[in-house]
Amino acid sequence: MMNGMIHKLDSAFQATKLSKFFQMEERDTKLSVEFRGALATFMSMSYILAVNPRILSDSGGPCVMDPDEGLFGAEYSACIEAVKREYITATAVASMFGCILMGLFANLPIALAPGMGMNAFFTYSVVGFRGLDDISFEAAVTAVMIEGAIFFVMAITGARYAIVRLIPEPVRVATPAAIGAFLAHLGLQTAEGIGVVVSDIATAVTLGGCPESMRTPIVALTDSCRANTDLCTTSDAYTCDDLGGVMTAGTTWVGVLGLLIIIIMLSYKNKAAFVVGIATITFLSWFRGTAITYFPDTLEGNDRFDYFKKVVSVEKIDLLFANFTSDLSDVTVALITFLYVDFLDTSGTLLGLVSAMGYVNEEGDFPRSKQAFAVDAAATMFGSIFGLSPVTSYIESGAGVEAGSRTGLTAIIVGFFFFLSIFFAPIIASIPPWAIGGALIVVGALMARSLRFVKWHDPAHAATAFLTVVVMPLTYSIAYGLIAGIGCWIVLQGTFYLLALVGVKRPSFALDEDIVPKETEDKDTDDENAKNMEDDSNDSGKDPVSGEEEKQEQP
């Protein structure tokens, strides 16, 4: 009966002007598929509503510290807590704005929100923990606005496209898999995942999964920390080496359960897998008095539960609104860094996700790319009005793409969910990270399919792609992964060119039958591989604008 109702609703929507506006028929999708994809995307990225306020409020925001009370004075701390609550509303409003614009103008199923990584850079590298660095909160916010404006001009003038076209082929091919590895890396850690991978003093990372009572925080041993241990800044980084308990945390194992639920349901081609997996673990984690509760009997757990019980709560944005300044004497480096990180992160994310849908052409561009990048920049400018770090396209949109999303209707529905979260922030902020981690890991695995097009028999092509994939998650930055791949390719091709000038023939490689099956040499088989890639991405194989058949790019 339910399937019949959904079918009728899909058919009714298909006959509307909205369906034509979003090119539902050309992209071979339905309203129910777009809604399911939107729900998967939103649930995969909803952690930003809790994580972003915590990170950005660490900057101190516009709060002014009383020198007599110090960094942890009661009045100053109370102001920061108020800023944290305001950031929940600010994050939701800016995300809603970006998602709706992306759906209306770019017609892509890509959601936007304040970027992870850039929010940490904003707080800990630009403003400093509770304003300890020299750049003021107001100057940093102004730098974000200027960065967004520059990015917008680059997008609408086509300068962005000219730069993106310079991205080497192996980097474009490897980008979806690299983003997938980055997603899986997030899903395996604690802040946004199941906590299997944790920090280690000797080896940087190691196996974790220890309960919270056995976690030893890792601090930044700065000069201020050496002088006064009260100023030692901690983060989500911790190790299990000191107290033990590796792989004994209930939250880790219930996160693994969510991972398995998603994989099993996907194996049976159930596209509600992401929604069911995340919702199941979230529901189990809301019971108090268990080893996996998100509301333990601690000060922090009680605060979470008290906020959760409110159900409906709208926080004002009085403190964060329009904190701009004309004093930009110290923000040059921050401005440049914001620009290049935002540019490369957005380029990598958009190209990777759109490539996974099969929409990237042989020139490395995709339909309405100018609008997509312009929307990203406009969202950053809009977010700066509310004191946010750059708003950017989210790699978690891959969850929706894998669930079948193909149009901007998905982004608009995600925007609507963010609108609801303005009112239901206590509920949305209570989705635990271990409920989300499994979805991120699965999406990462599915995005690795792009590696089939790497020319593994060509060392230069293979090394460039490989560096792109491994550097991105290991440095926790899409930008650094792209820089590593592009830099490697430039050095290698430059060396080959210089050697050719002195008579050394450029290297060339025939397919090695021991490595690559002989049939891949045949053009017909190459075309079939391209078709398979389109099928894997649930793509119709048509140009998303014209609806005509479009040739899949072959590396």
Side-chain angles (χ1 to χ4, degrees), residues 466-519:
F466 181 74
L467 277 176
T468 303
V469 173
V470 299
V471 171
M472 200 172 287
L474 293 181
T475 61
Y476 217 75
S477 170
I478 294 174
Y480 293 151
L482 293 175
I483 290 171
I486 294 171
C488 176
W489 185 255
I490 291 174
V491 170
L492 291 175
Q493 297 307 311
T495 301
F496 297 153
Y497 175 78
L498 293 176
L499 290 176
L501 293 179
V502 296
V504 180
K505 186 179 179 180
R506 291 180 65 91
S508 61
F509 299 91
L511 291 176
D512 189 337
E513 293 184 14
D514 293 334
I515 300 176
V516 181
K518 183 177 185 303
E519 59 266 21

Side-chain angles (χ1 to χ4, degrees), residues 1 27-28 31 140 187 193 206 297 427 482 527:
M1 181 177 178
R27 302 193 185 188
D28 192 24
L31 175 63
T206 188
D297 189 17
I427 300 296
L482 293 175
D527 291 338

Side-chain angles (χ1 to χ4, degrees), residues 392-407:
T392 188
S393 302
Y394 250 61
I395 51 181
E396 283 85 346
S397 301
V401 171
E402 290 298 335
S405 294
R406 288 296 177 271
T407 76

